[in-house]
Amino acid sequence: MTVAGLHTLTASEISRLIKKNEVTVEDYARSLLARIEKRDDIVHAWTYLNPDLVIKQAQRLDGIPHAERGPLHGVAFGIKDILNSEDMPTEFGSPLYKGNEPSMDSSAVGVLRTAGALILGKTVTSEFTVANTGTNTTNPHDPKRTPGGSSCGSAAAVVDFQVPLSVGTQTAGSVIRPASFVGVYAMKPTFSTISNDGLMTYSITVDTFGFFASSVEDLQLVANVFALQDDEVPVEKPLNEVRVAMMKTPLWHLAESGTRDAMDKAASILTSHGAKVDDVSFPPEYSDGVALKRMFSLIADGEAQAAFLKEYRMDKTKVAKEISDLVENKFNYTKKERLQALDTYARMRPAHDDLVSKYDAIVTPSVPDIAPVGIDWMGDPSFNILWTGLHMPVINVPAFTGSHGLPIGLSVVAGRFFDQHLLKITEVLSVPLVENGGWRIR
Amino acid sequence: MTVAGLHTLTASEISRLIKKNEVTVEDYARSLLARIEKRDDIVHAWTYLNPDLVIKQAQRLDGIPHAERGPLHGVAFGIKDILNSEDMPTEFGSPLYKGNEPSMDSSAVGVLRTAGALILGKTVTSEFTVANTGTNTTNPHDPKRTPGGSSCGSAAAVVDFQVPLSVGTQTAGSVIRPASFVGVYAMKPTFSTISNDGLMTYSITVDTFGFFASSVEDLQLVANVFALQDDEVPVEKPLNEVRVAMMKTPLWHLAESGTRDAMDKAASILTSHGAKVDDVSFPPEYSDGVALKRMFSLIADGEAQAAFLKEYRMDKTKVAKEISDLVENKFNYTKKERLQALDTYARMRPAHDDLVSKYDAIVTPSVPDIAPVGIDWMGDPSFNILWTGLHMPVINVPAFTGSHGLPIGLSVVAGRFFDQHLLKITEVLSVPLVENGGWRIR
């Protein structure tokens, strides 16, 4: 492989080459920078990228003796600009924080950096992750379409070979939805397993850190660095021993042809490979999808009242209207309703853990359909909110194609704190799905 | 009143004088600085205090036209050094962050600053709020005793007239316990009503911002600035219409003579003033105090594994052993147990809201007894964890004295999102309690 092609490798592949001294971090960095230079005018994935700083960091990493290198040595990451980074500006997609330069890394970025990651730059986020509009990042497969939000830059950069790994956050569907729209893997682990410190919080009850990759192996690499651990080390099962719950969810009426076909196709592929596949419904007491969506908004948007009070007070003219509306509680949400919502989701969590405990995994929609046309509206996160609210770990598997040959992902979901199990089972399930689903990342 | 005595005023009192142009913020600041200079060698409440910066800020505030002044104009605050502040170092009680200078205020500090507060300095915290030892802050009433932790500096500074208001955070009992040990008011509002952004999180599920004051009126001032709001504006009730639940809790076996006497005295004072007072137990399914304590640790200490992973990876030799033990999961907590704990506390929350809805407030212990001797161990937060875990708002009322004439507080507690109601009812209850309880702040 020439240096020029290094940017096409997965994180695990480049990591092996760097370990074997076959590639320097600097050469690798130059290959990524060249790719970005070529593509940035179309994709606009980065809000901050300083080639000099990248090369300096790469050279610093090359100077570290092998014995002292971390598990991510030289592997490049894009960081959603909602997470503080100590050597780059962090602006949260907000004019209020133009040029803000944090003195310390967010917890997650610090964990990556101490593991030897090359922090390449900051990727575009919508304002405070709340706005579902307002960025110029495009879907690399069709620049007329959105890559999905709010982690638009992180998703687009990975699928466009500008960086092999990136990180983001999800309140409603800000990790899994863009992963589906651009056709990459992404993992949102169990709530609370990765620290949210040093990111701009939208909803303290549901905000979850997540990461994007182009293979399950790469997701695994990141999960291990964050010390994600189940009570038991998961054992690998052959497909013909796997039990899958296909869950259309109480929001199935939102699914359009792309997702309907993907769910059908997934069931038939898995069945034909010997897996036991059941259609499973939400428990009857949680079968009102409209109510579940409204309850999710009561939690997330209710908590946003406190979350963005500071910014509103700093200068409300510099805060997007959809955010100042939340602070002002324009929807007249009551605390009583919020409590009902909080307590309902809290009761749903063990109920869904129980439900999934009879299966190896849930397979469920990631999005209603392919990425919509236009970059002004970042798409519908409805299917994601259920699992975010349930605190369950989710992986988007980018296996299918919808109309225009564009990607459609499905979500594989496990019970809370079964993150390693989820990775293992996704590794097994994704093989026939990707082989027969129609979507290829490379 | 001479300038020299201004430091003894409550926040509300000084605010009125500043509004009427009877006192400048600068004069006020000088009075506080003089008090601090006189007492700091004994109390050690501050980890950062720069008199020049304070005077500069005071002069800036004096220069703001009245029409543009915020509701806290010129009122001084001590900030627990676990919250980022943009003009002062923030070290989290940790050698890892020596000299760390954040680029932006934490959300809560920003809200205070935009309301015109004079940010006086940073108050001492134990390391990452986790350590229950390791600071040199003393109890102003007896320097051989602890002021309680982890918000030791914030509590000690207020009762010692070094600052009228201060802020802190509570995971287990880090606001209410020190408030009781030093004899001041403190409020821990409902979880999620004040943003935790920009503070060092210990447990994302329970960490709650709180504040210290020397009167209920002052607590109210702060609560209003943070836009704490109930669904309904609370109405003031005369004492003879008030119903109080005296809750000894399933941890009553930990209460010693000071707290036992205070609870008896409170019941008899309130009864003699016409209030209806019932002894109320926790629901039977939540009556195992030892199990509730262990479940709380499973949540808080379980979540600490992820919370301090970054710092552990930066340099574990610079992290206190009790913190690195958590990251390493030395107690072998399982995820399964953590889930049971999370789901049990989640179920307890609406059960306790229901319970308190039959009353105007709960009165319950803040601490086992007076502040213990020694500053190495910051005391037992057991009584606080129940209410922190329940996410319910709590106010410590410093009304009683135990042995050696030292203060003992009791907690007044309301249902979730009844913060304004709690303030109003505490205003009513605290009058006879303070009048007859034996403790005087001034």
Side-chain angles (χ1 to χ4, degrees), chain A residues 100 103 197 201 229 231 335, chain B residues 100 103 197 201 229 231 335:
Chain A
N100 171 54
S103 61
D197 262 25
T201 304
Q229 218 176 355
D231 278 339
K335 300 284 166 48
Chain B
N100 172 52
S103 61
D197 262 25
T201 303
Q229 219 177 353
D231 278 340
K335 300 285 166 49

Side-chain angles (χ1 to χ4, degrees), chain A residues 84 86 90 92 97 100-111 114-115 191-202 204-205 207 224-231 302-303 305-311 313-314 333-339 342-343 346-347 349-350 353 416-418, chain B residues 84 86 90 92 97 100-111 114-115 191-202 204-205 207 224-231 302-303 305-311 313-314 333-339 342-343 346-347 349-350 353 416-418:
Chain A
N84 286 334
E86 67 184 20
T90 304
F92 315 108
Y97 292 107
N100 171 54
E101 303 215 17
S103 61
M104 57 190 270
D105 281 333
S106 52
S107 181
V109 171
V111 169
T114 56
F191 178 80
S192 81
T193 54
I194 295 179
S195 170
N196 285 0
D197 262 25
L199 62 79
M200 179 73 76
T201 304
Y202 174 173
I204 192 168
T205 298
D207 276 14
N224 291 351
V225 164
F226 281 107
L228 295 189
Q229 218 176 355
D230 302 356
D231 278 339
E303 292 180 349
Q305 286 176 41
F308 304 114
L309 180 64
K310 175 198 174 194
E311 287 70 26
R313 295 268 178 84
M314 284 169 74
Y333 290 142
T334 67
K335 300 284 166 48
K336 188 176 176 189
E337 289 173 301
R338 198 203 300 183
L339 281 177
L342 284 163
D343 297 334
R347 281 197 310 276
R349 287 177 199 131
D353 283 342
R416 289 175 295 169
F417 296 121
F418 281 85
Chain B
N84 287 334
E86 65 184 21
T90 303
F92 314 108
Y97 291 108
N100 172 52
E101 303 215 17
S103 61
M104 58 190 270
D105 281 332
S106 52
S107 182
V109 171
V111 168
T114 57
F191 178 80
S192 81
T193 55
I194 296 179
S195 169
N196 285 1
D197 262 25
L199 63 80
M200 180 75 75
T201 303
Y202 173 173
I204 193 169
T205 298
D207 277 13
N224 291 352
V225 164
F226 281 108
L228 296 188
Q229 219 177 353
D230 301 358
D231 278 340
E303 292 180 348
Q305 285 175 44
F308 304 114
L309 180 65
K310 175 197 173 195
E311 286 70 27
R313 294 269 178 82
M314 284 167 75
Y333 290 141
T334 67
K335 300 285 166 49
K336 189 177 175 187
E337 288 174 302
R338 199 204 299 183
L339 281 177
L342 284 163
D343 296 335
R347 281 196 312 273
R349 286 177 200 130
D353 283 340
R416 289 175 295 170
F417 296 122
F418 281 85

Side-chain angles (χ1 to χ4, degrees), chain B residues 64-375:
Chain B
I64 296 174
H66 276 259
E68 293 165 26
R69 292 181 175 185
L72 290 176
H73 187 84
V75 176
F77 276 81
I79 309 293
K80 183 180 183 179
D81 199 29
I82 203 74
L83 290 124
N84 287 334
S85 47
E86 65 184 21
D87 55 358
M88 298 173 187
T90 303
E91 300 181 339
F92 314 108
S94 160
L96 278 173
Y97 291 108
K98 212 80 206 155
N100 172 52
E101 303 215 17
S103 61
M104 58 190 270
D105 281 332
S106 52
S107 182
V109 171
V111 168
L112 298 177
R113 206 187 290 272
T114 57
L118 174 66
I119 307 299
L120 207 68
K122 305 301 286 281
T123 60
V124 176
T125 176
S126 67
E127 185 175 336
F128 299 141
T129 79
V130 176
N132 204 26
T133 183
T135 76
N136 65 348
T137 310
T138 64
N139 193 314
H141 309 301
D142 179 352
K144 293 186 306 298
R145 292 176 192 266
T146 180
S150 60
S151 311
C152 47
S154 281
V158 168
V159 80
D160 201 47
F161 309 113
Q162 299 182 21
V163 72
L165 293 165
S166 63
V167 304
T169 55
Q170 171 156 317
T171 302
S174 289
V175 168
I176 299 301
R177 172 183 48 166
S180 180
F181 283 174
V182 306
V184 290
Y185 290 88
M187 180 172 190
K188 176 196 82 67
T190 304
F191 178 80
S192 81
T193 55
I194 296 179
S195 169
N196 285 1
D197 262 25
L199 63 80
M200 180 75 75
T201 303
Y202 173 173
S203 164
I204 193 169
T205 298
V206 294
D207 277 13
T208 313
F209 177 84
F211 39 97
F212 298 85
S214 53
S215 70
V216 180
E217 185 186 24
D218 282 5
L219 292 179
Q220 182 76 62
L221 188 68
V222 181
N224 291 352
V225 164
F226 281 108
L228 296 188
Q229 219 177 353
D230 301 358
D231 278 340
E232 287 166 34
V233 177
V235 276
E236 194 163 324
K237 270 189 183 178
L239 249 177
N240 61 8
E241 289 177 19
V242 168
R243 294 174 59 99
V244 174
M246 301 294 299
M247 294 190 80
K248 292 178 173 170
T249 85
L251 294 171
W252 184 241
H253 59 279
L254 299 173
E256 294 173 36
S257 63
T259 286
R260 289 175 180 266
D261 291 350
M263 285 287 280
D264 287 346
K265 217 165 166 178
S268 96
I269 293 169
L270 294 174
T271 305
S272 74
H273 282 77
K276 172 106 180 58
V277 175
D278 291 344
D279 272 314
V280 177
S281 301
F282 270 38
E285 60 271 42
Y286 309 117
S287 59
D288 180 345
V290 175
L292 292 178
K293 268 186 72 169
R294 178 171 160 81
M295 281 193 279
F296 186 88
S297 296
L298 282 159
I299 297 171
D301 294 347
E303 292 180 348
Q305 285 175 44
F308 304 114
L309 180 65
K310 175 197 173 195
E311 286 70 27
Y312 179 88
R313 294 269 178 82
M314 284 167 75
D315 186 350
K316 70 177 163 188
T317 69
K318 290 188 178 156
V319 172
K321 186 169 181 305
E322 64 192 287
I323 298 165
S324 62
D325 281 356
L326 294 181
V327 176
E328 292 172 1
N329 192 20
K330 277 276 164 68
F331 303 108
N332 292 314
Y333 290 141
T334 67
K335 300 285 166 49
K336 189 177 175 187
E337 288 174 302
R338 199 204 299 183
L339 281 177
Q340 285 165 345
L342 284 163
D343 296 335
T344 301
Y345 268 91
R347 281 196 312 273
M348 278 170 72
R349 286 177 200 130
H352 281 76
D353 283 340
D354 278 355
L355 199 150
V356 73
S357 70
K358 303 181 188 76
Y359 294 90
D360 294 293
I362 293 166
V363 172
T364 189
S366 287
V367 284
D369 208 326
I370 59 163
V373 170
I375 62 165

Side-chain angles (χ1 to χ4, degrees), chain B residues 46-64:
Chain B
W46 304 89
T47 182
Y48 182 84
L49 189 121
N50 176 347
D52 293 340
L53 177 64
V54 170
I55 295 300
K56 218 177 88 186
Q57 290 297 326
Q59 289 167 343
R60 183 185 61 77
L61 288 164
D62 281 327
I64 296 174

